[in-house]
Amino acid sequence: MKAAKPLAWDDALARSAAKHAIDMENQNYFNHISKNGRSIGDRAEEFGYDWYQISENIAFGQRSIIRSWMNG
């Protein structure tokens, strides 16, 4: 298997994620699917991100997200 390309910042994804985070805060929910039924793919496309495979991590309240993942 070939090595993956290095990660790079993407403004479209950052804007999409920020909008979703604000929506979750304003509507008091915590989910990968928006209250209006939109998925991460729908939200990314709204901001012009062309994707083949896409996923997201959401977290709230942890001081260290990595530590929380490692501790299960």
Side-chain angles (χ1 to χ4, degrees):
M1 177 182 273
K2 293 170 70 174
K5 294 179 184 177
L7 294 177
W9 184 262
D10 188 280
D11 287 332
L13 289 178
R15 290 190 308 272
S16 175
K19 183 178 178 183
H20 185 55
I22 291 166
D23 185 58
M24 287 191 295
E25 173 68 20
N26 289 341
Q27 295 196 56
N28 195 32
Y29 73 100
F30 186 73
N31 201 310
H32 293 284
I33 304 298
S34 300
K35 289 250 181 156
N36 63 7
R38 293 170 54 89
S39 69
I40 181 178
D42 298 326
R43 297 188 309 268
E45 287 173 1
E46 175 187 1
F47 285 88
Y49 186 79
D50 185 26
W51 60 277
Y52 170 73
Q53 291 181 328
I54 192 167
S55 62
E56 70 183 342
N57 291 310
I58 58 175
F60 178 76
Q62 295 93 349
R63 291 186 62 167
S64 170
I65 294 169
I66 301 299
R67 184 171 294 138
S68 294
W69 290 340
M70 297 298 287
N71 292 336

